[in-house]
Amino acid sequence: MHKVITLADTSWTEPDAEVAAHGYRRAELVGPGGGAVHTGLRCCELDAGGVVAEHLHSYESAFYVLDFNASAIFATRFISLTSCTRTICAPFRTLAVTAA
């Protein structure tokens, strides 16, 4: 099975209440809604000054920064995220992101 989708085919949503964030939206491209039970791909937007508070993932997460300047804390390591950055957050590590 395959599926072709663009952002125009999706809708932007605010995160669930358990995600402490402001200025953050996401659009699901691949996930349970399209039949992919164990795979997820989202396009996310974080406004200037927006924040995604520290949280924990129980699975590996990959980030591809398309057009962005921000700082992130992975576990206890501070990194700078800029356009064309790619990084991976290992399972059971904390993550927080703040847009510049």
Side-chain angles (χ1 to χ4, degrees):
M1 179 175 125
H2 69 277
K3 182 177 183 179
V4 177
I5 190 169
T6 68
L7 281 175
D9 300 323
T10 66
S11 59
W12 292 96
T13 61
E14 300 290 325
D16 300 330
E18 70 266 7
V19 178
H22 70 272
Y24 172 69
R25 296 163 290 297
R26 58 188 174 203
E28 182 179 278
L29 300 172
V30 176
V37 179
H38 300 290
T39 303
L41 176 63
R42 293 181 181 142
C43 183
C44 302
E45 287 186 336
L46 188 61
D47 295 334
V51 173
V52 177
E54 190 171 359
H55 61 285
L56 180 71
H57 287 243
S58 58
Y59 47 85
E60 183 178 85
S61 299
F63 299 88
Y64 301 92
V65 179
L66 302 178
D67 184 16
F68 199 61
N69 287 310
S71 57
I73 298 173
F74 290 100
T76 58
R77 195 178 83 207
F78 176 85
I79 65 169
S80 178
L81 299 174
T82 58
S83 295
C84 300
T85 299
R86 177 183 51 114
T87 190
I88 295 176
C89 184
F92 302 108
R93 307 288 172 151
T94 56
L95 165 68
V97 180
T98 304

